[in-house]
Amino acid sequence: MTLDELKARLDSFSPAKIAFVATVVESLSNPSQASIRSEGTWLTAVPDWIEYFGLALSVHHAATTVPLGLTPFETVFRNACSHVEWAVTAPGSATQRFVDLSVRAGSDPARHLSLKSTAAKNLSQTTVHISKLTEAAWIQDTRTPTARREATLELFASYQRVVTSILMLRAFRAADDDQAPRLYQLIEIPAMLFDSIQHEPLAAFQSDAPVIPCRDATGRTVARVSLDRSDAKITVRSVQINACTVHAEWTRAQSPRLL
């Protein structure tokens, strides 16, 4: 739509519609400020993508103080990719377990992403917590260390065959829960983080609810995978930020008023 077409459309709007549009325009004129944390990544190398994502955050918070959750995060992420003409799977088209969407940035190979979001209190600046990587009903049924080990290794082998990385949006909130997040952080956790699980000995699975270390090539523990028996899910604890890619952060401008 051209500027002239937009003006013509606005001429037909009711006063209520004009007031609504004015608030959106006001939020766009005072957008979230982007800070590139990792230069030249597949996301930060495209300024239009970063700008679009920040504008979407601004418009979201023109209407609400509620943090951008998982479903709207997927929508905003998908729209930002479409804006820069990247190929992205249509909503609801993903058929592979674990994968939320696939995107091909320019001539790059397709990336198959698991999307996560969090607005938990007191988020750490040095570690990341994934409360549910995936469901795993078998956790409650396996009774022996051998069965737990076999099921865990099979699950992570399947996961790593289809998932390129986990993309997580973290919303840092002020102490007052009624306030909108002051900062958003977009990080990427490579699926290869879980490589070492395939080499864990049987002794690591003796507990009914074992916590399995994930080690990098130097042997350093960069995360811990927990088999949550009570909720039948896989939790990932203490993911070291320096084992991830922090693409960018957006500091939210104060919204003048809500829609």
Side-chain angles (χ1 to χ4, degrees), residues 8-248:
R9 187 72 61 86
L10 289 173
D11 286 341
S12 67
F13 277 16
S14 68
K17 289 180 179 179
I18 292 295
F20 187 98
V21 170
T23 302
V24 172
V25 170
E26 198 170 1
S27 71
L28 293 176
S29 67
N30 189 27
S32 301
Q33 296 300 307
S35 172
I36 303 302
R37 291 287 305 275
S38 299
E39 296 283 352
T41 71
W42 65 282
L43 292 175
T44 62
V46 185
D48 276 1
W49 194 99
I50 296 296
E51 181 181 13
Y52 187 102
F53 195 90
L55 292 174
L57 292 175
S58 298
V59 171
H60 173 77
H61 284 299
T64 181
T65 59
V66 175
L68 193 75
L70 181 58
T71 298
F73 168 41
E74 179 176 345
T75 299
V76 169
F77 182 86
R78 191 186 301 278
N79 290 346
C81 292
S82 297
H83 171 68
V84 295
E85 300 183 344
W86 290 347
V88 61
T89 51
S93 63
T95 57
Q96 286 183 312
R97 185 187 178 195
F98 309 126
V99 175
D100 292 306
L101 63 80
S102 297
V103 59
R104 188 184 300 275
S107 59
D108 290 356
R111 290 176 171 87
H112 308 293
L113 305 175
S114 171
L115 301 184
K116 303 291 182 184
S117 69
T118 181
K121 294 180 182 179
N122 302 317
L123 290 178
S124 171
Q125 293 283 359
T126 58
T127 61
V128 177
H129 182 83
I130 303 175
S131 61
K132 185 170 79 172
L133 181 72
T134 184
E135 296 177 348
W138 52 263
I139 293 176
Q140 296 177 335
D141 300 325
T142 52
R143 301 297 179 184
T144 68
T146 299
R148 275 191 291 274
R149 184 178 187 274
E150 289 177 353
T152 302
L153 268 56
E154 180 181 351
L155 182 144
F156 277 95
S158 298
Y159 188 92
Q160 291 185 282
R161 275 195 294 269
V162 296
V163 175
T164 306
S165 57
I166 301 161
L167 208 61
M168 174 178 272
L169 184 67
R170 304 209 299 160
F172 289 80
R173 297 184 293 171
D176 185 347
D177 285 347
D178 292 333
Q179 296 297 312
R182 58 182 172 78
L183 181 141
Y184 282 92
Q185 182 185 72
L186 185 61
I187 70 168
E188 186 169 0
I189 305 167
M192 67 178 62
L193 187 88
F194 305 119
D195 282 356
S196 69
I197 289 177
Q198 299 298 325
H199 308 294
E200 282 300 308
L202 186 61
F205 297 86
Q206 294 295 321
S207 168
D208 285 345
V211 178
I212 314 301
C214 299
R215 300 181 175 89
D216 64 12
T218 69
R220 179 177 67 112
T221 297
V222 292
R224 298 183 186 277
V225 166
S226 172
L227 276 59
D228 188 334
R229 192 177 184 84
S230 61
D231 292 329
K233 66 178 182 178
I234 302 292
T235 296
V236 187
R237 307 175 184 172
S238 304
V239 181
Q240 299 299 305
I241 281 281
N242 57 21
C244 311
T245 299
V246 181
H247 288 288

